[in-house]
Amino acid sequence: MTKPTITAFERSPDGGRGLARDMRVRWALEEVGQAYDVRLVSFTEMKQPAHLALHPFGQIPTYEEGDLALFESGAIILHLAQRHAGLLPDDASARARAVAWMLAAVNTIEPPILDLQVAKFAEGDKSWSAERLPLVLERIRRRLRELSARLGDADWLDGAFSAGDLLMIGVLMRVTSSGLLDAFPNLAAYVARGEARPAFQRAFAAQLAVFTNSLRDEAPRH
Ligand code: GTB
């Protein structure tokens, strides 16, 4: 495989906490042992024609491998999982179930979590915001309850670790700091189990280094 290039924030607003979606792509690349390059983009560059040709919505991450260009973190991870061993089971039915978990992560669990970010950061100053917030939180709790019940005391969602777990943990990471996982110790342990994987650690360190370097580059010189 041609060494792929992904895009990531030149300076992530999350301060290097691994919450931007290049993190999950880096993690998948590390899991399958595929070396990659990173092109850092600013918010301005993301909206310029060169980047829009790669990503119609002017976002990160993107993925370039030879003449293949992809956007959408889920699609990039599915591509990697299909091209390499290690992220999808060989058995066709188990593979289909793992893909179902990938879609459940981005299609069922992530939307209410994104809604919380919108409620807090984009709508926090609206007169109706305080009234809406509990509804948004309850929609997340409902999904966490359901997911927690299904996971039970298993390590991973369906047998061995798969791209379904990678995406699900990538999504759940976005609510760990809010305390929403505290009521679901098995989900908190599930996220911690994912974060303990060596591939996660390498990916996390790489994205943190980008943030740390961006601070250093900006530091006043004496
Ligand atoms: N569905 C797409 C995917 O999965 O790839 C969504 C891509 C997306 O939302 N990208 C965001 C982006 O480029 C970065 S990850 N935003 C810039 C823009 O739209 O102009 C979302 C994100 C951003 C910041 C934090 N944070 O600071 O905590 C967390 C997550």
Side-chain angles (χ1 to χ4, degrees), residues 9 13-14 19-21 24 43 46-47 58-61 72-73 174:
F9 283 135
D14 73 350
L19 301 179
R21 287 183 179 84
R24 48 182 83 162
F43 277 91
M46 273 189 267
K47 310 303 174 197
Q59 297 183 310
I60 60 100
E72 282 298 330
S73 56
R174 298 190 70 170

Side-chain angles (χ1 to χ4, degrees), residues 3-220:
K3 191 177 180 190
T5 299
I6 66 166
T7 51
F9 283 135
E10 188 175 62
R11 175 177 297 188
S12 181
D14 73 350
R17 288 190 298 144
L19 301 179
R21 287 183 179 84
D22 59 297
M23 173 62 205
R24 48 182 83 162
V25 172
R26 291 173 185 269
W27 184 10
L29 285 158
E30 292 288 350
E31 287 284 350
V32 300
Q34 173 64 53
Y36 62 101
D37 290 321
V38 182
R39 190 170 63 251
L40 301 177
V41 287
S42 66
F43 277 91
T44 307
E45 283 165 339
M46 273 189 267
K47 310 303 174 197
Q48 299 300 313
H51 189 78
L52 286 169
L54 294 173
H55 197 307
F57 310 118
Q59 297 183 310
I60 60 100
T62 58
Y63 175 95
E64 293 156 83
E65 175 206 313
D67 56 10
L68 172 68
L70 286 175
F71 60 98
E72 282 298 330
S73 56
I76 297 168
I77 293 166
L78 181 59
H79 169 70
L80 290 169
Q82 284 171 330
R83 290 288 295 272
H84 299 267
L87 282 177
L88 285 175
D90 291 336
D91 173 74
S93 296
R95 203 175 176 90
R97 290 197 305 274
V99 172
W101 279 118
M102 292 180 73
L103 293 177
V106 295
N107 223 13
T108 300
I109 304 293
E110 191 159 44
I113 291 175
L114 288 179
D115 208 17
L116 178 61
Q117 314 295 315
V118 173
K120 278 186 178 168
F121 302 113
E123 299 171 347
D125 59 348
K126 302 285 187 258
S127 57
W128 36 264
S129 170
E131 227 175 320
R132 183 168 181 265
L133 194 59
L135 304 176
V136 173
L137 288 168
E138 187 41 39
R139 280 196 286 272
I140 299 176
R141 285 197 193 94
R142 175 180 164 196
R143 291 298 181 224
L144 294 179
R145 243 187 337 266
E146 293 162 341
L147 186 65
S148 168
R150 172 55 77 101
L151 179 67
D153 60 5
D155 279 356
W156 309 114
L157 286 166
D158 190 338
F161 176 82
S162 78
D165 295 297
L166 188 152
L167 262 179
M168 190 63 82
I169 291 165
V171 166
L172 293 177
M173 277 171 61
R174 298 190 70 170
V175 290
T176 41
S177 67
S178 69
L180 278 163
L181 292 187
D182 295 353
F184 307 99
N186 68 335
L187 292 184
Y190 173 60
V191 172
R193 203 172 294 123
E195 290 176 343
R197 292 176 72 84
F200 179 99
Q201 297 286 322
R202 289 193 295 275
F204 188 88
Q207 64 78 40
L208 179 60
V210 171
F211 184 77
T212 310
N213 289 340
S214 76
L215 292 183
R216 195 198 51 206
D217 293 346
E218 199 181 71

